[in-house]
Amino acid sequence: GIQVEQSPPDLILQEGANSTLRCNFSDSVNNLQWFHQNPWGQLINLFYIPSGTKQNGRLSATTVATERYSLLYISSSQTTDSGVYFCAVGGGNTPLVFGKGTRLSVIA
Amino acid sequence: NAGVTQTPKFQVLKTGQSMTLQCAQDMNHNSMYWYRQDPGMGLRLIYYSASEGTTDKGEVPNGYNVSRLNKREFSLRLESAAPSQTSVYFCASSEMGHQPQHFGDGTRLSIL
């Protein structure tokens, strides 16, 4: 099955800093999603982005499907950005496979 | 508009007891999913239902059964709970298989 690797596993930022989270995957995909799990455990869908670039406020994502990676950019980070960011991918008709996540801590 | 609702939020069971986790969505989505989340493991798919009337195994189906009761509801049953099934369980739904998934708030299940 598809393998998903996220990096870095942990990241600590000062409030206001920018960051880039990476998701590498082992096979062709037609479904890629980014999620944020907040400190209370809730999972929020950030982007559905099997290819191309999308932006939503301070967050943006880019997927280069031919090179099998996706990037999540967080600009001007805030303490509310803290939590775990998951990348999940799927190919063909297969369901999503989740990476192990990047744990982000933003310090005031 | 509640989205995806899971009940209960917390549960403690003894080994060998049975339990059904309930999930309902009000977004008229076709596909529904059950995941478990363990520390350091990310989320792993237990079962999914691509559409009403169908269910399929995911990565870790052993020890679980599911029922797609109707388009809105998808339940997960543990017939004989084991300590290895201690986890946080999430239900999710999407309009179709390749559409954004929306998650419930989870059920924290402990088996002693």
Side-chain angles (χ1 to χ4, degrees):
Chain A
I2 294 176
Q3 305 295 313
V4 184
E5 284 193 19
Q6 292 186 241
S7 60
D10 296 280
L11 185 59
I12 300 174
L13 295 177
Q14 202 74 32
E15 199 169 27
N18 302 327
S19 62
T20 301
L21 282 58
R22 187 176 180 101
C23 172
N24 292 333
F25 43 93
S26 62
D27 208 343
S28 301
V29 300
N30 54 13
N31 186 356
L32 189 146
Q33 302 185 33
W34 283 97
F35 297 88
H36 175 221
Q37 186 168 36
N38 65 25
W40 297 270
Q42 295 171 317
L43 280 154
I44 306 299
N45 192 300
L46 298 175
F47 293 104
Y48 170 75
I49 187 166
S51 63
T53 297
K54 289 186 177 180
Q55 181 154 7
N56 184 1
R58 296 181 295 101
L59 273 60
S60 64
T62 295
T63 297
V64 184
T66 53
E67 296 188 22
R68 300 181 183 172
Y69 72 89
S70 182
L71 302 174
L72 179 68
Y73 305 96
I74 304 174
S75 64
S76 303
S77 58
Q78 301 176 358
T79 56
T80 52
D81 296 329
S82 296
V84 183
Y85 290 81
F86 290 103
C87 169
V89 305
N93 288 320
T94 61
L96 290 178
V97 175
F98 280 72
K100 294 185 178 182
T102 292
R103 182 174 299 276
L104 174 65
S105 299
V106 181
I107 301 169
Chain B
N1 191 347
V4 180
T5 302
Q6 293 185 234
T7 55
K9 295 191 185 306
F10 302 94
Q11 186 70 46
V12 179
L13 294 177
K14 294 181 179 179
T15 298
Q17 287 185 316
S18 61
M19 164 117 200
T20 299
L21 307 185
Q22 306 287 352
C23 175
Q25 52 90 9
D26 62 4
M27 295 175 282
N28 201 35
H29 285 170
N30 290 294
S31 302
M32 298 185 73
Y33 312 83
W34 276 106
Y35 295 89
R36 61 178 289 173
Q37 184 176 29
D38 302 297
M41 297 293 292
L43 279 83
R44 293 182 293 170
L45 183 66
I46 304 171
Y47 271 94
Y48 66 104
S49 171
S51 60
E52 187 179 357
T54 70
T55 59
D56 285 287
K57 295 179 180 179
E59 181 186 352
V60 288
N62 290 345
Y64 305 95
N65 287 300
V66 290
S67 295
R68 183 75 184 266
L69 304 170
N70 48 54
K71 192 172 185 179
R72 289 186 63 247
E73 298 173 287
F74 189 37
S75 63
L76 178 72
R77 183 162 177 83
L78 288 70
E79 289 290 351
S80 179
S84 61
Q85 294 177 304
T86 292
S87 189
V88 181
Y89 291 85
F90 286 97
C91 177
S93 71
S94 63
E95 188 174 335
M96 299 286 286
H98 293 279
Q99 293 293 321
Q101 287 190 16
H102 301 272
F103 280 77
D105 287 344
T107 295
R108 188 173 296 274
L109 182 61
S110 295
I111 299 162
L112 307 177

